[in-house]
Amino acid sequence: MSMCHPKWKLVAALAIGGATIGHVVSAHAQQTLPAWTPQSPQYVQCPAPGQPLLQIPELISQGGKLQGTLLLSNATQRLYLGAGDQSQCLLQDVRQFTGVSAVLPAYPGGIPPTYPGYAAPPSYPKYAPLPASPYLDPVPGPTLRARVGDIVQLTFLNQIGTGAYWNSVDRGEKGQGCDQSSALYPGLDTFPDCFHGSSTGNIHFHGTHTNPGTTGDNIFIEVRPSLRDASGQPLVTQASVKAPFDQFFANCETELNKSVLSQWPRSWSDFPPAWVSTQEDLLKRYDSDPVIVKKLWPVDDAQRRAGAWPQYYIGATPYCFRLPAYQPAASTQSAHPPGHAAATTPATTMEQSRALQMGQAPGTHWYHAHKHGSTTINVANGMTGAFIIEGGYDDILNAFYGTGETTGPGSWTRSQPVLVVNQLGTSPNLFRLNPTGALPFSVNGRFQPALTMQPGQVQLWRIVNTSSRGGVYVAGFAPPNATTPSLPQVFQWKQIAQDGVQFNGTSYGDSQNPTLLISAGNRADLLVKAPTTPGQYVLLSLQARSRCETLPVAQVPTIPTPSKPSPICGPGSLAPLLTVSVTGTPATGNQAQFIPQSQVQKAFPSFLNDVADSEVRSTKTVVFESKPTAGGPPATMHTIDGHKFDGNVGQVVLLNTAEEWKVENRTVNGGIKQGAVATTDPPGIVDHPFHIHINPFQITEFFDPNEVLPGTSTYKYVFQAPAGPGQCLLDVTRPETWKPCGTRPKTNLVWWDVFAIPSARAVFINNNTQAVVVPGYFKMRSRFVDFTGQYVIHCHMLAHEDRGMMTVVEVVPFTTAYSHQ
Ligand SMILES: [Cu+2]
């Protein structure tokens, strides 16, 4: 899909994306909301850390369909912005996702309060009357819960009142291009690879194996806020779209039931005509505003005539796609257990499912805003949520840990906490705000929320890192106020799934109290066993943008800058992510046991077996690089294969083939500038988290040139003899030697959909007068199967994505006229 805009000249001075402090006012001409008036920052007391974990409302599938309405609107929330006094929050206008008629989850916790002045939709959720607060605190988007095999039928509404965001309806359409903030931004950024258009919304269903186009996991569509009537009310509402969307969803279900591989709808002619004419009318009204110089309707019209899926919508769009259930030919197990009806007719389900080469993996997935140019600000505002796809994974856990229902509302897995981590904020976090670090992690919108466990109890923690930037490094548990994990560990934990894909028996069995780097976009499911001693504990974590930052300060390697050796990264410090209260009756029986490895293996789907050598049909190399240009971070270029995102296809793959990709990171801290050793600004290496949509992948080779020997600051890889114990000697003049030494097992591999690419290392030679960049890399294998179309790979540090570190992958069917006969 091509971007329709040429590059724009930058004109009027505007700030970056969100509602920060001291904005220029210019309400969108077609909006009748009051213009937003610049105000001095209003500081208020922050909510206390250590509150009970917030219960995130849920939209839950029924009868094989996940139906619901996701509303994008604005609110004034109390946010801590990471600078100075941690008790001081600011009232900030943010955009938020709410689930219309969402219900409270079955896991224990605090109930999101209602607040004076918060105009929730009337049906929005059963907020209990609560610790009175005059302020609205953040609530993540509703947790979506469906089951493998279900059809997703979501109505997405954008009712952002743009008066509050001053010109954030796309400046590109006004011919103004990027957002601007004083002299700092956009610097050398050029449209569309810059922050812009932050009131436009869409949804990426992160971790789904489904149709990447049309009304599936399509991140190219852009939904502008609804136009408003004379009284300021949105014209596009749940009521106004109900009739055409109901008709569309019914048609969609019929079509998707014909084949599990169906990628219907294919064109706007598959929409009810009334919806197309409504959109045409709204887009033309939007375009009729004289400030809009780049009209949207002609783009959509040209795209639909060309057979492409139109890009622009006003106020609403429907999402309809299937979470396909894989059925091995010999299997007798049902994707839907008794009592949970499938949306397909049973007679055809089995036959169709055999057509799949992979299926949807059941597990902890998520969704977030993914409109290029505003992904960072929207995700930082809180436009993220968990997407839990239940299946065989839940069934084994429920059979082992459950005491009642084995599926559905009363099942054990539904009673387990969902932990949505985010770095909430209102401006893209280009670099660290202050010496103490970046925006802090919140969990379900609060700081260091409290979970309760029985002594000895095992719980399933579904951790989703929805942050736009920081990786969550999980170190271990400790008493409150401790700064390092207790040793020996006071808790036990085993990882049972990564990125929504369960471990096989062996990987699960090998997992013993692992430390984890949960990069931006990653998920980790942990079985956590509380100590038998009641008491208060904390889970310690730190923020990391590289593996280097997870090291103790004394182990960080240095580069030989003239005054003194300069560390290649600035390590973070451990702080509580969660508090855990261990109290009550000790757990007994299975509740106090880790599920046996054999049972985990039994439920491991065969389509997730390792990608064999014989399957690999092609190899590719993809290079991520951040290049500092002149001066500070705004001038840094973030590229893939040397290019910023331009909408063109970067990689082409044949449908139903497996490939092995070498994914390189050439980003380095340290080089020679004007004859002297220099660091980057800000200093520090960056392990860009590589993400690909639609299909997960396995890591078959891993090379981190900055790796140190355990417990030391000594590099594992040396480029000058002799190599000491545990070290490997590489030849700086021969790039073919720049790879890991020793062999790693190529079996029982974990599936990922985000993996941080190890940074490059500056290797200094010739008396430190020259530096050679040795890239870090991993090799991954993925099956590009079942669905054709265009989707993206990108860095999950979203400021890098918005600024260009993204490219399009196109999966094309293999068709040829050639015959061997
Ligand atoms: Cu990046």
Side-chain angles (χ1 to χ4, degrees), residues 688-689 795 797 800 805:
H688 300 284
C795 176
M797 287 177 178
H800 297 176
M805 203 173 237

Side-chain angles (χ1 to χ4, degrees), residues 232-381:
Q233 296 305 304
L235 293 172
V236 182
T237 63
Q238 192 177 18
S240 80
V241 303
K242 187 176 186 327
F245 282 18
D246 282 353
Q247 191 195 333
F248 170 70
F249 289 138
N251 295 345
C252 183
E253 192 177 329
T254 303
E255 292 295 328
L256 295 188
N257 281 347
K258 290 178 182 171
S259 166
V260 75
L261 296 175
S262 172
Q263 293 185 233
W264 194 92
R266 288 286 183 180
S267 74
W268 265 14
S269 61
D270 293 329
F271 267 151
W275 174 241
V276 174
S277 59
T278 300
Q279 279 298 308
E280 179 177 348
D281 174 57
L282 288 166
L283 284 157
K284 286 176 173 172
R285 286 170 67 176
Y286 180 93
D287 288 345
S288 70
D289 185 334
V291 307
I292 303 293
V293 297
K294 191 72 189 172
K295 311 294 185 190
L296 300 187
W297 169 251
V299 177
D300 273 11
D301 196 35
Q303 286 171 331
R304 72 169 181 166
R305 284 169 198 279
W309 189 255
Q311 190 172 347
Y312 298 113
Y313 301 81
I314 302 289
T317 203
Y319 285 98
C320 182
F321 56 93
R322 186 185 288 283
L323 304 168
Y326 177 84
Q327 293 283 359
S331 170
T332 52
Q333 66 182 1
S334 168
H336 288 82
H340 191 102
T344 48
T345 52
T348 57
T349 304
M350 291 290 287
E351 212 46 54
Q352 290 169 8
S353 298
R354 283 179 201 142
L356 286 169
Q357 304 207 10
M358 296 278 276
Q360 174 64 53
T364 306
H365 301 286
W366 67 296
Y367 66 92
H368 60 91
H370 204 314
K371 183 258 167 189
H372 185 61
S374 59
T375 310
T376 314
I377 181 71
N378 287 341
V379 162
N381 271 196

Side-chain angles (χ1 to χ4, degrees), residues 345-693:
T345 52
T348 57
T349 304
M350 291 290 287
E351 212 46 54
Q352 290 169 8
S353 298
R354 283 179 201 142
L356 286 169
Q357 304 207 10
M358 296 278 276
Q360 174 64 53
T364 306
H365 301 286
W366 67 296
Y367 66 92
H368 60 91
H370 204 314
K371 183 258 167 189
H372 185 61
S374 59
T375 310
T376 314
I377 181 71
N378 287 341
V379 162
N381 271 196
M383 288 163 62
T384 70
F387 187 2
I388 294 171
I389 302 175
E390 299 177 343
Y393 173 66
D394 301 73
D395 296 345
I396 54 155
L397 291 166
N398 288 328
F400 186 78
Y401 290 109
T403 51
E405 297 172 45
T406 54
T407 187
S411 61
W412 182 82
T413 52
R414 294 250 181 125
S415 69
Q416 301 303 299
V418 175
L419 305 169
V420 175
V421 181
N422 203 344
Q423 292 174 287
L424 295 166
T426 56
S427 64
N429 185 16
L430 292 172
F431 45 89
R432 295 184 174 205
L433 292 177
N434 61 58
T436 63
L439 292 169
F441 289 129
S442 59
V443 180
N444 296 6
R446 304 291 192 277
F447 294 110
Q448 302 164 22
L451 293 167
T452 302
M453 300 179 82
Q454 297 166 255
Q457 185 189 20
V458 174
Q459 291 187 349
L460 172 67
W461 293 3
R462 297 179 184 264
I463 304 173
V464 189
N465 185 5
T466 78
S467 307
S468 66
R469 183 172 189 81
V472 181
Y473 176 70
V474 174
F477 294 82
N481 304 320
T483 53
T484 55
S486 304
L487 289 174
Q489 289 281 0
V490 288
F491 283 62
Q492 294 176 56
W493 67 100
K494 291 168 82 73
Q495 188 174 6
I496 187 167
Q498 175 70 45
D499 293 351
V501 182
Q502 73 193 76
F503 278 13
N504 70 8
T506 305
S507 300
Y508 165 72
D510 290 348
S511 173
Q512 305 283 347
N513 290 10
T515 53
L516 303 166
L517 176 59
I518 307 171
S519 299
N522 280 138
R523 289 84 72 205
D525 285 17
L526 305 179
L527 287 174
V528 179
K529 187 176 193 301
T532 52
T533 316
Q536 298 294 315
Y537 302 91
V538 294
L539 176 62
L540 292 172
S541 78
L542 59 74
Q543 275 186 34
R545 56 176 189 166
S546 68
R547 290 167 180 83
C548 173
E549 291 179 352
T550 70
L551 295 171
V553 180
Q555 285 178 239
V556 172
T558 56
I559 47 178
T561 44
S563 52
K564 62 181 165 80
S566 172
I568 63 167
C569 73
S573 50
L574 290 167
L577 180 70
L578 293 166
T579 57
V580 187
S581 178
V582 176
T583 180
T585 324
T588 56
N590 285 3
Q591 307 293 328
Q593 305 296 324
F594 287 110
I595 185 173
Q597 183 176 331
S598 59
Q599 295 190 30
V600 173
Q601 178 59 34
K602 213 158 60 183
F604 188 72
S606 58
F607 70 86
L608 293 170
N609 288 340
D610 292 335
V611 180
D613 295 351
S614 58
E615 281 181 74
V616 176
R617 286 276 300 274
S618 186
T619 60
K620 291 181 168 61
T621 298
V622 181
V623 179
F624 283 58
E625 183 171 17
S626 293
K627 268 192 254 190
T629 49
T636 304
M637 296 252 295
H638 303 288
T639 62
I640 297 178
D641 293 334
H643 304 288
K644 293 204 270 189
F645 177 71
D646 57 8
N648 290 326
V649 174
Q651 302 293 343
V652 178
V653 182
L654 284 182
L655 180 67
N656 294 336
T657 60
E659 296 205 349
E660 181 170 274
W661 292 12
K662 183 179 187 184
V663 183
E664 268 185 20
N665 184 353
R666 295 188 60 87
T667 309
V668 69
N669 180 31
I672 306 291
K673 280 192 185 129
Q674 280 121 31
V677 177
T679 61
T680 56
D681 177 22
I685 54 178
V686 178
D687 293 3
H688 300 284
F690 167 89
H691 174 47
I692 185 165
H693 293 197

